[in-house]
């Protein structure tokens, strides 16, 4: 090939590469959901689910593609609130003291196929509101809120 032909071929390949890179960039852009005109499901602060159509492309925090996804998310949120409230009431104002290494802090975890009560003194693995002051409290939460806990851990 002559120099002129090589330059033309290089230019053609560069143009093709540019077109391909533009396609890849567009494909890799995260798409905010929902986009204008798209239907989505949401749940209200009192738990109702409803369908809506986006009138902009700003996205929504509480938007789901299907009613089933929406109901599951709502139920998980309700379960979390139930468990958080129960722990708070049973702890009677106690909060873990992370500067006190001799204080045991109990939390509920899901391992393999069951709920367990675990204990830590220094490593924080959960938000403070998920820690129980005693083994007795932790066991009571597992017993009374087993279905809610399993739902939370299914997420």
């Amino acid at each position: 090939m002559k120099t002129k032909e090589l330059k033309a071929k290089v230019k053609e390949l560069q143009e093709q590469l540019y077109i391909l890179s533009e396609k890849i960039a567009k494909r890799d852009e995260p798409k905010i959901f929902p986009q204008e005109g798209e239907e989505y499901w949401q749940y209200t602060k009192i738990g109702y689910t409803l369908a809506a159509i986006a009138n902009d492309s700003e996205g929504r925090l509480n938007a789901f593609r299907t009613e089933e996804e929406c109901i599951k998310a709502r139920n998980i949120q309700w379960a979390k609130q139930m468990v958080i409230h129960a722990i708070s009431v049973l702890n009677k104002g106690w909060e873990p003291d992370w500067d006190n290494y001799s204080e045991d802090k109990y939390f509920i975890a899901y391992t393999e196929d069951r709920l367990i009560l675990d204990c830590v003194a220094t490593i924080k693995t959960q938000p403070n509101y998920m820690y129980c002051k005693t083994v007795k409290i932790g066991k009571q939460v597992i017993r009374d809120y087993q279905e809610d806990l399993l739902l939370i851990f299914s997420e």
Side-chain angles (χ1 to χ4, degrees):
M1 284 183 140
K2 297 181 183 175
T3 304
K4 193 174 188 177
E5 290 172 346
L6 282 173
K7 285 182 181 180
K9 186 67 173 170
V10 167
K11 186 174 180 173
E12 179 188 340
L13 290 171
Q14 286 174 328
E15 289 171 1
Q16 289 175 359
L17 182 60
Y18 176 78
I19 291 168
L20 285 173
S21 65
E22 287 293 308
K23 285 181 181 178
I24 290 169
K26 285 181 183 176
R27 185 185 70 211
D28 290 343
E29 286 178 13
K31 183 180 177 187
I32 294 172
F33 177 77
Q35 294 287 302
E36 185 173 0
E38 283 186 306
E39 183 180 59
Y40 65 97
W41 285 86
Q42 65 182 12
Y43 61 88
T44 66
K45 62 184 177 182
I46 57 174
Y48 294 116
T49 58
L50 54 99
I53 296 188
N55 59 1
D56 58 41
S57 292
E58 297 297 315
R60 308 284 186 282
L61 290 176
N62 180 19
F64 304 90
R65 295 188 187 282
T66 67
E67 184 177 18
E68 293 78 24
E69 289 174 355
C70 182
I71 290 169
K72 183 177 180 186
R74 179 205 58 199
N75 292 347
I76 288 170
Q77 191 59 37
W78 276 353
K80 282 181 183 178
Q81 293 307 311
M82 295 291 289
V83 170
I84 289 168
H85 179 73
I87 290 172
S88 174
V89 168
L90 293 168
N91 278 339
K92 298 179 182 173
W94 173 86
E95 288 192 12
D97 178 1
W98 294 104
D99 293 326
N100 181 356
Y101 298 144
S102 64
E103 175 188 74
D104 288 335
K105 301 142 185 90
Y106 300 92
F107 67 95
I108 299 162
Y110 185 78
T111 180
E112 296 173 22
D113 62 345
R114 62 190 173 97
L115 294 165
I116 63 165
L117 190 61
D118 208 347
C119 178
V120 294
T122 59
I123 300 170
K124 183 177 179 178
T125 61
Q126 307 279 333
N128 277 349
Y129 57 75
M130 289 300 289
Y131 286 90
C132 300
K133 182 177 181 179
T134 65
V135 170
K136 182 179 176 182
I137 291 171
K139 286 181 177 181
Q140 183 177 346
V141 172
I142 289 173
R143 184 185 68 241
D144 295 347
Y145 295 91
Q146 182 174 0
E147 284 185 36
D148 295 307
L149 289 162
L150 291 171
L151 183 60
I152 292 166
F153 286 115
S154 74
E155 112 179 278

